[in-house]
Amino acid sequence: MTELLSGESQDVSAKRRPGSGGPPTWRELGLQSMSAMLVESLTQQGSRFFEALCQWPRWHALNERALAVTHHPLLMAESTRQVAAALELRYLKDVEANRLQPVSVSLGVDPRAQPVERGGASDVLVHVTVSDLVVRVGTVAAYRLTAEYFHAGARFGTCAMTLADPPRPELGAASTQHRGLLRPAPAAVGASAEPDVLLARGAQGRLVIAPCDPGHPVLLPGRPALLPALAVMEAGRQATLLYRGALPSAVAGIAVRLDAPVPSRGAVVEVTAEGGASRFLVRAGEQAAALGTVTLLRP
Protein backbone atom coordinates (compact mmCIF):
# COMPACT_ATOMS: atom_id res chain seq x y z
CA MET A 1 0.00 0.00 0.00
CA THR A 2 2.67 2.52 1.01
CA GLU A 3 4.58 1.83 -2.21
CA LEU A 4 1.54 2.66 -4.31
CA LEU A 5 0.20 5.65 -2.36
CA SER A 6 2.27 8.79 -2.76
CA GLY A 7 2.10 11.23 0.16
CA GLU A 8 2.73 14.94 -0.38
CA SER A 9 5.94 14.70 1.67
CA GLN A 10 7.42 11.97 -0.51
CA ASP A 11 9.60 12.58 -3.54
CA VAL A 12 7.37 11.51 -6.39
CA SER A 13 8.12 14.41 -8.74
CA ALA A 14 8.69 12.07 -11.66
CA LYS A 15 5.09 10.85 -11.42
CA ARG A 16 3.26 13.92 -10.11
CA ARG A 17 0.28 15.06 -12.11
CA PRO A 18 -0.17 18.66 -13.28
CA GLY A 19 -1.45 20.99 -10.58
CA SER A 20 -0.83 18.43 -7.80
CA GLY A 21 0.10 21.15 -5.28
CA GLY A 22 -3.41 22.55 -4.91
CA PRO A 23 -7.03 21.43 -4.90
CA PRO A 24 -8.19 19.51 -7.98
CA THR A 25 -10.03 21.38 -10.71
CA TRP A 26 -13.27 20.25 -12.30
CA ARG A 27 -11.45 19.59 -15.57
CA GLU A 28 -8.86 17.41 -13.81
CA LEU A 29 -11.67 15.35 -12.31
CA GLY A 30 -13.22 14.81 -15.74
CA LEU A 31 -16.38 16.81 -14.99
CA GLN A 32 -18.47 18.59 -17.60
CA SER A 33 -18.64 21.91 -15.74
CA MET A 34 -17.63 23.63 -12.51
CA SER A 35 -21.21 23.38 -11.23
CA ALA A 36 -20.88 19.57 -11.12
CA MET A 37 -17.91 19.69 -8.74
CA LEU A 38 -18.64 18.62 -5.16
CA VAL A 39 -15.12 17.98 -3.77
CA GLU A 40 -13.20 21.04 -2.62
CA SER A 41 -10.07 19.42 -1.16
CA LEU A 42 -8.41 16.09 -0.38
CA THR A 43 -5.56 15.67 2.11
CA GLN A 44 -3.67 12.59 3.26
CA GLN A 45 -3.94 11.75 6.98
CA GLY A 46 -2.04 8.44 6.98
CA SER A 47 -0.86 5.65 4.70
CA ARG A 48 -4.45 4.57 3.93
CA PHE A 49 -6.49 7.46 5.31
CA PHE A 50 -7.60 10.73 3.74
CA GLU A 51 -9.87 13.63 4.58
CA ALA A 52 -11.98 15.48 2.03
CA LEU A 53 -14.11 18.59 2.20
CA CYS A 54 -17.20 18.74 0.02
CA GLN A 55 -19.81 21.37 -0.65
CA TRP A 56 -23.29 20.25 -1.68
CA PRO A 57 -25.26 23.05 -3.38
CA ARG A 58 -28.91 23.41 -2.49
CA TRP A 59 -29.68 23.88 -6.19
CA HIS A 60 -27.78 20.81 -7.38
CA ALA A 61 -29.34 19.27 -10.50
CA LEU A 62 -30.57 16.18 -8.62
CA ASN A 63 -32.05 17.98 -5.61
CA GLU A 64 -35.71 18.82 -5.28
CA ARG A 65 -36.69 22.45 -5.74
CA ALA A 66 -37.96 23.29 -2.27
CA LEU A 67 -37.44 25.80 0.51
CA ALA A 68 -35.79 23.18 2.72
CA VAL A 69 -33.81 20.62 0.69
CA THR A 70 -32.76 17.17 1.88
CA HIS A 71 -29.88 16.33 -0.43
CA HIS A 72 -30.34 13.56 -2.98
CA PRO A 73 -28.62 10.35 -1.76
CA LEU A 74 -26.60 10.10 -4.98
CA LEU A 75 -24.68 13.24 -3.96
CA MET A 76 -22.90 10.96 -1.49
CA ALA A 77 -22.05 8.44 -4.22
CA GLU A 78 -20.99 11.15 -6.69
CA SER A 79 -18.82 12.80 -4.02
CA THR A 80 -17.14 9.44 -3.37
CA ARG A 81 -16.54 9.00 -7.10
CA GLN A 82 -14.98 12.47 -7.29
CA VAL A 83 -12.83 11.72 -4.24
CA ALA A 84 -11.60 8.60 -6.05
CA ALA A 85 -10.71 10.65 -9.13
CA ALA A 86 -8.82 13.15 -6.95
CA LEU A 87 -7.05 10.30 -5.15
CA GLU A 88 -5.91 8.81 -8.45
CA LEU A 89 -4.81 12.21 -9.65
CA ARG A 90 -2.85 13.20 -6.55
CA TYR A 91 -1.78 10.14 -4.61
CA LEU A 92 -2.26 6.80 -6.35
CA LYS A 93 0.72 5.83 -8.45
CA ASP A 94 0.48 4.42 -11.97
CA VAL A 95 -3.23 5.09 -12.39
CA GLU A 96 -4.50 7.42 -15.07
CA ALA A 97 -7.22 9.58 -13.52
CA ASN A 98 -10.73 8.41 -14.43
CA ARG A 99 -9.46 5.19 -16.08
CA LEU A 100 -10.90 3.06 -13.30
CA GLN A 101 -14.64 3.32 -12.81
CA PRO A 102 -17.08 2.31 -10.06
CA VAL A 103 -18.23 -1.29 -10.52
CA SER A 104 -19.99 -1.67 -7.18
CA VAL A 105 -21.40 0.97 -4.85
CA SER A 106 -23.31 0.83 -1.57
CA LEU A 107 -24.47 3.69 0.60
CA GLY A 108 -26.48 4.16 3.75
CA VAL A 109 -28.06 7.31 5.17
CA ASP A 110 -29.18 8.19 8.70
CA PRO A 111 -32.21 10.44 8.11
CA ARG A 112 -31.96 11.81 11.66
CA ALA A 113 -28.57 13.41 10.95
CA GLN A 114 -28.81 14.02 7.20
CA PRO A 115 -28.27 17.72 6.38
CA VAL A 116 -31.24 19.82 5.33
CA GLU A 117 -30.20 22.90 3.38
CA ARG A 118 -32.19 26.13 3.52
CA GLY A 119 -29.42 28.45 2.35
CA GLY A 120 -26.82 28.08 -0.39
CA ALA A 121 -24.89 24.86 0.27
CA SER A 122 -24.05 22.28 2.93
CA ASP A 123 -20.43 21.83 4.01
CA VAL A 124 -19.62 18.14 4.36
CA LEU A 125 -16.56 16.48 5.89
CA VAL A 126 -15.51 13.06 4.55
CA HIS A 127 -13.22 10.49 6.19
CA VAL A 128 -11.83 8.19 3.49
CA THR A 129 -10.13 4.81 3.79
CA VAL A 130 -8.40 3.01 0.90
CA SER A 131 -8.24 -0.80 0.93
CA ASP A 132 -8.19 -3.95 -1.20
CA LEU A 133 -5.70 -2.72 -3.79
CA VAL A 134 -5.26 -5.10 -6.70
CA VAL A 135 -1.96 -4.66 -8.53
CA ARG A 136 -1.09 -6.12 -11.93
CA VAL A 137 2.38 -5.60 -13.41
CA GLY A 138 3.07 -2.76 -10.99
CA THR A 139 -0.14 -0.92 -11.83
CA VAL A 140 -3.21 -0.51 -9.63
CA ALA A 141 -6.03 -2.40 -11.36
CA ALA A 142 -8.69 -2.08 -8.65
CA TYR A 143 -9.23 -0.70 -5.16
CA ARG A 144 -11.95 0.07 -2.63
CA LEU A 145 -12.90 3.34 -0.96
CA THR A 146 -14.92 3.59 2.23
CA ALA A 147 -16.16 7.10 2.95
CA GLU A 148 -17.87 8.36 6.12
CA TYR A 149 -19.86 11.58 5.76
CA PHE A 150 -20.24 14.20 8.51
CA HIS A 151 -22.22 17.43 8.76
CA ALA A 152 -22.10 19.79 11.75
CA GLY A 153 -20.07 17.19 13.65
CA ALA A 154 -22.56 14.33 13.18
CA ARG A 155 -22.06 11.32 10.93
CA PHE A 156 -25.03 10.98 8.60
CA GLY A 157 -23.95 8.44 6.00
CA THR A 158 -21.40 6.03 4.58
CA CYS A 159 -20.50 5.01 1.05
CA ALA A 160 -18.34 2.08 -0.06
CA MET A 161 -17.16 1.95 -3.67
CA THR A 162 -15.03 -0.52 -5.60
CA LEU A 163 -13.27 0.90 -8.64
CA ALA A 164 -11.87 -1.24 -11.44
CA ASP A 165 -11.91 -1.54 -15.21
CA PRO A 166 -15.61 -1.51 -16.12
CA PRO A 167 -17.19 -4.52 -17.87
CA ARG A 168 -16.42 -4.47 -21.58
CA PRO A 169 -19.28 -4.75 -24.10
CA GLU A 170 -19.38 -7.68 -26.45
CA LEU A 171 -18.77 -7.00 -30.11
CA GLY A 172 -21.98 -5.74 -31.68
CA ALA A 173 -23.70 -4.98 -28.35
CA ALA A 174 -26.02 -1.99 -28.66
CA SER A 175 -28.99 -0.31 -27.04
CA THR A 176 -32.29 -2.15 -27.37
CA GLN A 177 -35.17 -0.24 -28.94
CA HIS A 178 -38.64 -0.38 -27.37
CA ARG A 179 -41.78 1.07 -28.90
CA GLY A 180 -44.71 2.81 -27.27
CA LEU A 181 -42.93 3.81 -24.07
CA LEU A 182 -44.90 5.70 -21.41
CA ARG A 183 -42.88 7.85 -19.06
CA PRO A 184 -43.93 8.18 -15.39
CA ALA A 185 -44.31 11.56 -13.70
CA PRO A 186 -41.10 12.77 -11.99
CA ALA A 187 -42.74 12.70 -8.54
CA ALA A 188 -43.63 9.01 -8.98
CA VAL A 189 -39.96 8.04 -9.25
CA GLY A 190 -38.55 10.57 -6.79
CA ALA A 191 -37.07 12.84 -9.47
CA SER A 192 -36.97 16.60 -9.06
CA ALA A 193 -37.73 17.33 -12.73
CA GLU A 194 -38.54 15.53 -15.99
CA PRO A 195 -34.92 15.50 -17.29
CA ASP A 196 -33.94 13.40 -14.24
CA VAL A 197 -36.37 10.57 -15.08
CA LEU A 198 -34.52 7.46 -16.31
CA LEU A 199 -37.43 5.05 -16.72
CA ALA A 200 -40.42 4.38 -18.96
CA ARG A 201 -43.01 1.61 -19.20
CA GLY A 202 -42.84 -0.65 -22.21
CA ALA A 203 -44.73 -3.71 -23.41
CA GLN A 204 -46.51 -5.77 -20.74
CA GLY A 205 -45.81 -2.97 -18.26
CA ARG A 206 -42.09 -3.70 -18.09
CA LEU A 207 -39.87 -0.94 -16.73
CA VAL A 208 -37.26 0.09 -19.28
CA ILE A 209 -34.27 2.39 -18.83
CA ALA A 210 -34.91 5.22 -21.29
CA PRO A 211 -33.33 8.45 -20.00
CA CYS A 212 -35.38 11.56 -20.68
CA ASP A 213 -32.08 13.45 -20.99
CA PRO A 214 -29.49 11.12 -22.60
CA GLY A 215 -26.78 13.68 -21.78
CA HIS A 216 -27.80 14.38 -18.18
CA PRO A 217 -24.92 16.44 -16.69
CA VAL A 218 -24.69 14.32 -13.51
CA LEU A 219 -26.02 10.87 -14.43
CA LEU A 220 -24.92 10.67 -18.09
CA PRO A 221 -22.20 13.26 -18.74
CA GLY A 222 -20.92 13.16 -22.31
CA ARG A 223 -23.81 10.95 -23.55
CA PRO A 224 -22.11 7.59 -22.83
CA ALA A 225 -23.12 4.49 -24.78
CA LEU A 226 -23.07 2.48 -21.54
CA LEU A 227 -24.68 3.45 -18.24
CA PRO A 228 -22.19 4.23 -15.46
CA ALA A 229 -22.77 2.57 -12.10
CA LEU A 230 -24.31 5.66 -10.53
CA ALA A 231 -26.91 5.91 -13.30
CA VAL A 232 -27.78 2.23 -12.83
CA MET A 233 -28.05 2.93 -9.11
CA GLU A 234 -30.46 5.80 -9.72
CA ALA A 235 -32.52 3.69 -12.13
CA GLY A 236 -32.87 1.09 -9.39
CA ARG A 237 -33.91 3.74 -6.86
CA GLN A 238 -36.50 5.17 -9.24
CA ALA A 239 -37.85 1.73 -10.11
CA THR A 240 -38.19 0.82 -6.44
CA LEU A 241 -40.02 4.03 -5.53
CA LEU A 242 -42.41 3.50 -8.45
CA TYR A 243 -42.97 -0.18 -7.63
CA ARG A 244 -43.44 0.36 -3.89
CA GLY A 245 -45.27 3.70 -4.09
CA ALA A 246 -42.76 5.07 -1.59
CA LEU A 247 -41.50 8.59 -0.97
CA PRO A 248 -37.84 9.50 -1.65
CA SER A 249 -37.40 10.29 2.06
CA ALA A 250 -38.02 6.59 2.83
CA VAL A 251 -34.76 5.50 1.15
CA ALA A 252 -32.15 4.58 3.78
CA GLY A 253 -29.73 2.62 1.60
CA ILE A 254 -28.88 1.74 -1.99
CA ALA A 255 -26.41 -0.78 -3.40
CA VAL A 256 -25.55 -1.90 -6.92
CA ARG A 257 -23.05 -4.26 -8.59
CA LEU A 258 -22.27 -4.25 -12.30
CA ASP A 259 -21.67 -7.71 -13.76
CA ALA A 260 -21.93 -6.80 -17.46
CA PRO A 261 -22.27 -3.63 -19.56
CA VAL A 262 -25.62 -1.86 -19.35
CA PRO A 263 -26.63 -0.02 -22.55
CA SER A 264 -27.65 3.60 -22.14
CA ARG A 265 -31.13 2.79 -23.41
CA GLY A 266 -33.33 -0.29 -23.48
CA ALA A 267 -32.26 -2.36 -20.45
CA VAL A 268 -35.16 -3.77 -18.42
CA VAL A 269 -35.44 -3.27 -14.64
CA GLU A 270 -37.23 -5.90 -12.54
CA VAL A 271 -38.10 -5.14 -8.89
CA THR A 272 -39.05 -7.62 -6.17
CA ALA A 273 -40.01 -6.64 -2.61
CA GLU A 274 -38.48 -8.36 0.39
CA GLY A 275 -39.82 -6.81 3.60
CA GLY A 276 -38.22 -3.42 4.13
CA ALA A 277 -35.90 -3.87 1.17
CA SER A 278 -36.35 -4.32 -2.55
CA ARG A 279 -34.08 -6.08 -4.99
CA PHE A 280 -33.69 -4.85 -8.54
CA LEU A 281 -32.26 -6.73 -11.47
CA VAL A 282 -31.17 -5.00 -14.67
CA ARG A 283 -31.29 -7.10 -17.82
CA ALA A 284 -29.55 -6.18 -21.06
CA GLY A 285 -31.29 -8.41 -23.56
CA GLU A 286 -31.23 -11.89 -22.04
CA GLN A 287 -28.20 -11.13 -19.87
CA ALA A 288 -28.36 -10.15 -16.19
CA ALA A 289 -26.15 -7.06 -16.20
CA ALA A 290 -26.57 -5.53 -12.74
CA LEU A 291 -28.03 -6.41 -9.37
CA GLY A 292 -28.89 -4.08 -6.53
CA THR A 293 -30.96 -3.40 -3.42
CA VAL A 294 -32.85 -0.42 -2.06
CA THR A 295 -33.57 -0.32 1.68
CA LEU A 296 -36.65 1.59 2.80
CA LEU A 297 -37.50 2.90 6.24
CA ARG A 298 -40.44 1.14 7.81
CA PRO A 299 -43.49 3.41 8.17
Side-chain angles (χ1 to χ4, degrees):
M1 176 77 73
T2 55
E3 295 178 354
L4 294 167
L5 286 171
S6 304
E8 285 297 320
S9 61
Q10 294 173 292
D11 182 12
V12 291
S13 57
K15 291 182 181 267
R16 291 175 72 90
R17 276 55 163 193
S20 59
T25 68
W26 59 272
R27 287 190 176 89
E28 287 178 323
L29 297 187
L31 303 174
Q32 297 293 301
S33 67
M34 185 182 297
S35 63
M37 189 165 180
L38 301 175
V39 176
E40 292 190 317
S41 67
L42 178 67
T43 56
Q44 189 166 12
Q45 303 295 311
S47 63
R48 298 185 298 116
F49 305 104
F50 297 81
E51 185 174 274
L53 296 177
C54 296
Q55 191 171 79
W56 291 357
R58 175 186 171 195
W59 299 116
H60 188 273
L62 292 179
N63 283 342
E64 294 181 356
R65 301 298 185 256
L67 182 62
V69 171
T70 300
H71 294 288
H72 193 291
L74 253 70
L75 265 66
M76 192 187 305
E78 173 60 12
S79 295
T80 305
R81 191 195 67 79
Q82 291 185 22
V83 165
L87 178 76
E88 294 174 12
L89 190 73
R90 294 286 188 267
Y91 298 101
L92 204 54
K93 291 183 180 181
D94 298 317
V95 177
E96 297 179 6
N98 299 311
R99 179 180 64 83
L100 303 179
Q101 299 295 325
V103 294
S104 72
V105 186
S106 63
L107 62 85
V109 178
D110 181 353
R112 298 168 297 179
Q114 191 175 8
V116 176
E117 185 55 54
R118 293 178 172 85
S122 298
D123 293 321
V124 177
L125 174 67
V126 191
H127 292 168
V128 181
T129 304
V130 182
S131 62
D132 299 341
L133 270 79
V134 177
V135 182
R136 298 191 183 99
V137 197
T139 299
V140 175
Y143 63 99
R144 180 179 175 86
L145 286 186
T146 303
E148 296 181 287
Y149 284 80
F150 298 81
H151 176 71
R155 191 180 84 158
F156 67 88
T158 60
C159 181
M161 180 177 290
T162 298
L163 294 102
D165 284 321
R168 300 299 180 186
E170 297 179 1
L171 187 64
S175 296
T176 303
Q177 299 300 319
H178 295 266
R179 298 181 180 275
L181 296 178
L182 299 175
R183 197 173 299 280
V189 295
S192 63
E194 188 174 349
D196 301 338
V197 177
L198 296 180
L199 303 175
R201 284 205 180 275
Q204 290 83 46
R206 291 186 303 176
L207 282 178
V208 177
I209 297 178
C212 185
D213 180 1
H216 191 284
V218 178
L219 301 172
L220 300 164
R223 294 177 174 262
L226 301 175
L227 287 184
L230 268 59
V232 178
M233 196 175 197
E234 173 63 4
R237 186 191 76 98
Q238 292 186 11
T240 298
L241 293 179
L242 185 63
Y243 179 82
R244 300 286 296 257
L247 297 174
S249 58
V251 175
I254 316 173
V256 70
R257 185 190 73 228
L258 298 186
D259 296 322
V262 181
S264 61
R265 188 177 183 89
V268 174
V269 185
E270 301 171 357
V271 180
T272 56
E274 297 182 358
S278 293
R279 293 186 180 273
F280 65 89
L281 175 67
V282 179
R283 294 188 181 275
E286 298 301 319
Q287 185 177 32
L291 180 67
T293 59
V294 178
T295 304
L296 301 176
L297 296 172
R298 295 186 180 275

